[in-house]
Amino acid sequence: MVLSVTNDMKVSEQMMEFLISELVVYVKDSCTTPAATSNSNSNSNTAKEDGGGGGGGGVKEDEEALTVAAEMAAAKLERIGFAVGYRLTERLAQNKTWNAVPNQDTAAAVAAQQLEAVKFLCKEIWMDVFGKQIDKLQTNHRGVFVLKDLNLKWLTRFPSGTEQARVSAIRLLAFPCGLIRGCLSNLGIPAVVSCDFLSDGQNMAACSFNIKVK
């Protein structure tokens, strides 16, 4: 008797969520200098001892350092997401046939190719990463696309209505933004990707990704 062997390898969704959360923490810590964290705690204690007075300059400098660190962490997560999206697209698109519509002018042909690439992202890439397709795709057919995910799995455990959760969610969203940019870059479409919440942060899992083709 011959046993069938499958080459499909799957990763538990819970393990993937844990990996991403640990990656976010690791990147955040790697971009935050120990000196800035130490000075921030020191200035906080000094302010308490002084009854809230003094140390204003040091606190401002520490806040600026932490802001720079947060921006560095977001950029690093975006680059990691870009690499993952680029390589994932290389694997998933290798056997895909891209349909060319005859008798189209150049602008219409480019717009059609961009739309097909984004649809591939919304269906196959999103399904492979999140186990579902994008809920809604909107476009003006001039290089602007809006992808709406009403229940992004990586954000479902975030509590709503807290500033700390919102900041953490925004930091994590840098990864799928990079994922989208990497996918499109592999398909020959340079783009700028940003994200936002659909309900002012009240529902962390409902978000949109805005794509502007360069």
Side-chain angles (χ1 to χ4, degrees), residues 3-200:
L3 297 177
S4 61
V5 179
T6 177
N7 292 324
D8 292 338
M9 299 180 65
K10 301 296 182 181
V11 178
S12 167
E13 291 182 359
Q14 289 78 10
M15 289 301 297
M16 190 63 183
E17 289 181 27
F18 177 75
L19 174 62
I20 292 299
S21 64
E22 288 298 303
L23 176 63
V24 171
V25 173
Y26 167 75
V27 171
K28 175 179 176 291
D29 292 343
S30 67
C31 293
T32 303
T33 61
T37 305
S38 174
N39 289 340
S40 177
N41 294 334
S42 176
N43 285 324
S44 176
N45 293 333
T46 301
K48 291 179 180 179
E49 293 174 359
D50 293 343
V59 172
K60 184 177 181 180
E61 291 177 359
D62 293 336
E63 289 178 350
E64 292 176 353
L66 292 175
T67 299
V68 171
E71 293 174 352
M72 290 174 59
K76 190 172 183 178
L77 279 170
E78 201 272 348
R79 290 195 300 270
I80 295 173
F82 177 92
V84 172
Y86 194 96
R87 296 175 184 177
L88 184 59
T89 302
E90 189 74 27
R91 178 171 65 85
L92 295 180
Q94 60 181 343
N95 296 322
K96 180 174 176 57
T97 301
W98 303 95
N99 298 322
V101 180
N103 303 323
Q104 274 190 333
D105 58 64
T106 303
V110 170
Q113 291 173 357
Q114 291 175 352
L115 180 58
E116 188 172 3
V118 174
K119 285 183 177 179
F120 169 78
L121 164 67
C122 294
K123 294 179 180 179
E124 299 191 38
I125 297 294
W126 224 252
M127 177 65 72
D128 198 75
V129 177
F130 298 103
K132 64 185 288 288
Q133 297 182 6
I134 280 287
D135 293 305
K136 189 173 184 180
L137 166 63
Q138 296 174 306
T139 178
N140 64 355
H141 299 284
R142 292 191 296 273
V144 176
F145 302 88
V146 179
L147 282 55
K148 294 183 179 181
D149 192 322
L150 304 181
N151 189 37
L152 191 68
K153 289 186 177 181
W154 294 351
L155 300 181
T156 53
R157 301 180 190 276
F158 281 68
S160 60
T162 66
E163 185 61 25
Q164 183 177 359
R166 181 182 176 85
V167 170
S168 299
I170 291 174
R171 185 184 298 118
L172 186 149
L173 284 171
F175 185 93
C177 282
L179 185 83
I180 293 171
R181 194 170 66 87
C183 169
L184 295 178
S185 178
N186 185 286
L187 299 176
I189 303 175
V192 177
V193 183
S194 60
C195 62
D196 201 0
F197 297 110
L198 293 178
S199 55
D200 297 326

